Amino acid sequence: RLMPWLYALFFVSGCPALIYQIVWQRALFAIYGINVESVTIVVTAFMLGLGLGSLLGGRISRIERLPALPIFGGIELCIGVYGLISLRIFHIAGVHTAGAPLIAVAVLSFLLVLVPTVLMGGTLPFLVAHLVRISKNVGASVGMLYFVNTLGSAFACMMCARFLMRMMGESGSVAVAAALNGAVGSIAILAWIAGFREHLPDQDREDSETEPSPDSRAGLIPFPLALALVGLCGFISLSYEILWYRTYSFATGTRASAFALLLAAYLEGIACGSLLSNAICSRGVSRTRTLRMIGWLAIGASLFGFLVIPLMAHLVQHVDYTLTLPLVALSAGLLGAIFPLATHAAVPSDRRAGSGTSYLYLCNIIGSAAGTMLVGFVLADFWSTRQISVFLLLLGLAFGGAVYAGTLGGVFRRLAGFGAVAALAAIGVASAPALFDTIYERMLFKHDYQPGYRFAHLLESRSGVIAVGPDATVFGGGVYDGRFHTSLVNDTNMLVRAYAISAFQASPKNVLMIGLSSGSWAQVILNNPAVARLTVVEINPDYLRLIPQYPQVASILNNSRVTIEIDDGRRWLFRHPDLRFDLVVMNTTFNWRAHATNLLSDEFLQLVRQHLRPAGVLYYNTTDSGDVFLTGTTRFRYGLRVLNFLAVSDRPLAIDKETWRRTLVSYRIDGKPVFDLTRQADQKRLDEVLAMADSPVVSPAADSAAMEFAATIRERYRQMRIITDDNMGTEWY
C-alpha cells in the first residue's frame, strides 16, 4: 500500500527541485554574471551539493528502523522553508558580494545552495534503502524512484517554459515550488501518522536480514567497475547536453525557453531509461547479461547522441525545433538506463543498499561535473561542435565496446566484437564532415536556407557561437548582431543612432559602452570629436578575433583612448563602484532573448544611475519594446527617444540641432570625413539626418516621428509593465 503513495510523492517532489534550479541559477547569474566562468561555477555548485547530499542520505539509510515517510516529509518541508526565503537570501548576499573575485564566487555560490541541494540529494539513497528492504531488488527500486522523480522534474521544466516563469516570475515560481514541497511533506507525515507505517512485520524483517536472493545479490559486477561505468556515463551524458544546448540555443536565437524545453526532453529521456531498467531488473539479470545490456546502451546512446545535432539542423528547415527534441530524449534515455542497471548489479540488497547507491550517485555527479568542466569550459575553446561530437562518439563507443566485448567468450568473438565497434567508429569519423557541414547556416535561416550559402567566419568557443555572413552581417548566438559598417551616407545598420549622440549630449568626454559586437558602434563613438575616453565591456572575447579582419573597425583595437574589458556588463559595474561616466551606451540585444533582462530591468537602470555623472546620460536600444520604454522613462525623469533607442537622464534633455550639425560636419573616422560636402549625395544625406531633429512627437496620438520626449513616451506606453529582475520582462513570452 505504501509504494504507490511514495512514488506519487516522489514524482511531485521532483517538480520543485527543477523550478528551484532554474530560478536560483538565474538569480545567481544576475548577481555574479552570465559569463562562462560564473555559469560553470554556479552549475557545478549545484552538482556538488547534490553529491554531498547523496553521501549523507546514504549514511542515514543504514539505520534500518528509521521511518521513511516522516523523514522524507521533513526534508521536503525544510526545502520548502528555504525556498520561501531563498531569493531574499540571494539578494542580501548579492548586495555585499556582487562583483567578487572568481574564487569568492565559487565559494559563495556553493554556500548559498548547499542546504537545499544537500537535502535534495539525500532523498534518493534514503528511499532506495527503504524500498529495497521491501522488494529485495536494488535495480527495480532505483529505476522506479529515478523514473518518477526525473519525470516530475521534466514536467516542471515544461511548466517553466510554457507558463510558470512568464506568469509568476521568479518569486512566484519559487512560491509555487515551496507550496509543492509543503504539500508533499505534509502528506507524507500525515500519511505516516494515519497508518501507512512502513515498519515491516517481524517475519519480513527477519527475511530482510537473511541472505539476499540470487537476482539481487551483490557482486554481479565489481563495485569499482560500477563506479567507473556510472561516472563515465555521467560524463558523456552531460557533455552531450552541453553541445545540444549550444546548438538549440543558436537555432532559437537564444530564447529563454529553449533551455527549459531541452532540459525537459533530456530528463524525460532519463526517466524513460530508468523505467526500462526497472522492468529489466524486476525480471532478474545475470552478470553477463547486465554488462552486455550496458554495452549495448552505451553504443546506442553514443550513435544517437552523435546524430542529434546534424539531424536537428536539417529538420528545423521544415519543422519547429520542438519537434526534434525526441531525438534528445532517445539518446538521453539510453544513457539514463545505465545507472539503475549498474546499481542493481553492484549494490547488495541489504542494509548497504542506500549507501552503495549514494556512492554510485556521487560518482555519476562527479562525472557529470567533469563533463561540464572539460567540454564546456576547456574543449569548447579549442574544438568545434563537430570535433567534440566525434570525440564523444569515440569515447562512448570505446566505453560500450569494451563492456560489450568483455562479455563475449573466446578470443575470436571478442576480436569480432571490437572490430564491429571499430567499424562503427570509422564510419562515424568519415561521415562527420558531411553530417556537420553548414549546420549553423541551416539552424539560422531554417526554411529560408539556400543551398550553397556559407558563413564567411564561424567562431565557436565556450563563450558562444558567432557567425559572419558574406555581406559582413554578424549573427551572435543565432540572431542579428550588427554589421561591420561605419558609413552614415550609406547607412545599412541604423548607425544614425550612434551619430545622433551629439544631438542631446554635447560633451560626452568619458564614455562607457556595454557590448562590442562588430565594433562599428565603438568606432563611431570613439571618433566623436568630443569623446576623450572610451571603455568597452564585452562578454565574448571572440569578437576581438574578428574585428582585425575588417578595416572599417580594425583601428579601435590599437587606439590608446580605448580600453576593452572582457566581462559581464552588470558584474563589471558592480566591481567598479567608483567609476563615473558622461555617457553609457548599450546597443542592447533583442529584449526577448535569454538574460536580456539583466541589462533592461529597473534594478539594472538603478545600478547604471550610480555610474553616471550629474548630467550623465544612459543611451540604449529598446528593440521596440514598450516595456523597455516605460521602464526607462519611469526610472529616469527625463528621456528622449531616437528611433528605437532611448536616452534617459536625471537632468533635462534637449535637442541641439546646431551642435549636432557641427559635429557631423567635423566627424572623421580613421582620418576620413564622414560627409564629403562637395558631393551632392552627401549634402542631401546630411540634411535628411538633421531633419530627424525637426518636430519631435509632442502627443501620444501624433504619428510616430524620429524623436520623442519622456512625457509622451510614458503616456504612450502606460499600459505596459515595468521590467524587473523578478518578472524578467518578455524573455518567457
Side-chain angles (χ1 to χ4, degrees), residues 489-541:
V489 176
N490 301 301
D491 187 2
T492 61
N493 53 336
M494 294 180 71
L495 268 177
V496 65
R497 298 168 299 177
Y499 284 101
I501 289 172
S502 297
F504 56 84
Q505 177 72 315
S507 184
K509 293 182 179 179
N510 192 11
V511 180
L512 170 66
M513 184 173 179
I514 297 178
L516 176 64
S517 187
S518 68
S520 300
W521 271 69
Q523 182 75 297
V524 171
I525 293 171
L526 178 63
N527 286 276
N528 184 309
V531 172
R533 188 76 193 166
L534 174 64
T535 302
V536 181
V537 181
E538 170 57 49
I539 198 170
N540 192 335

Side-chain angles (χ1 to χ4, degrees), residues 35 70 80 115 305 322 415 423 553 567 662 729 732:
N35 52 323
V115 172
T322 56
L415 289 176
V553 295
D567 203 348
R662 290 197 304 268
W732 295 88

Side-chain angles (χ1 to χ4, degrees), residues 43-54:
V43 172
T44 304
F46 271 81
M47 292 182 178
L48 288 176
L50 292 173
L52 292 176
S54 175

Side-chain angles (χ1 to χ4, degrees), residues 214-222 285-288 290-291 344-347:
D215 282 345
S216 56
R217 188 188 305 273
L220 290 180
I221 62 175
V285 287
S286 66
R287 177 184 185 277
T288 299
T290 300
L291 288 174
H344 179 74
V347 176

Side-chain angles (χ1 to χ4, degrees), residues 519-589:
S520 300
W521 271 69
Q523 182 75 297
V524 171
I525 293 171
L526 178 63
N527 286 276
N528 184 309
V531 172
R533 188 76 193 166
L534 174 64
T535 302
V536 181
V537 181
E538 170 57 49
I539 198 170
N540 192 335
D542 289 338
Y543 284 111
L544 302 183
R545 296 164 54 192
L546 283 171
I547 288 174
Q549 303 180 54
Y550 291 86
Q552 305 96 312
V553 295
S555 63
I556 64 174
L557 299 184
N558 302 315
N559 196 307
S560 61
R561 295 185 295 123
V562 178
T563 300
I564 299 178
E565 303 276 359
I566 303 300
D567 203 348
D568 173 86
R570 189 163 179 160
R571 189 176 79 164
W572 188 90
L573 290 172
F574 277 127
R575 296 176 68 178
H576 299 83
D578 299 327
L579 296 183
R580 300 291 184 272
F581 300 91
D582 301 302
L583 177 69
V584 176
V585 179
M586 303 189 304
N587 193 3
T588 321
T589 189

Side-chain angles (χ1 to χ4, degrees), residues 626-634 714 717-718 720-722:
D627 291 346
V628 177
F629 276 117
L630 180 63
T631 303
T633 53
T634 301
R714 282 190 287 267
Y717 297 108
R718 66 184 183 278
M720 309 303 288
R721 67 172 181 170
I722 302 294

Side-chain angles (χ1 to χ4, degrees), residues 83-98:
L84 284 175
I85 62 175
S86 59
L87 293 181
R88 179 61 180 169
I89 293 174
F90 291 178
H91 175 73
I92 295 172
V95 169
H96 295 92
T97 64

Side-chain angles (χ1 to χ4, degrees), residues 250 444-445 453 455 457-459 465-483 517 543 546 593:
F250 188 91
L444 178 69
F445 292 106
Y453 179 91
F455 292 128
H457 301 283
L458 180 66
L459 299 183
V465 180
I466 303 173
V468 183
D471 60 349
T473 301
V474 182
F475 302 95
V479 73
Y480 175 80
D481 203 20
R483 280 194 179 91
S517 187
Y543 284 111
L546 283 171
R593 296 183 73 190

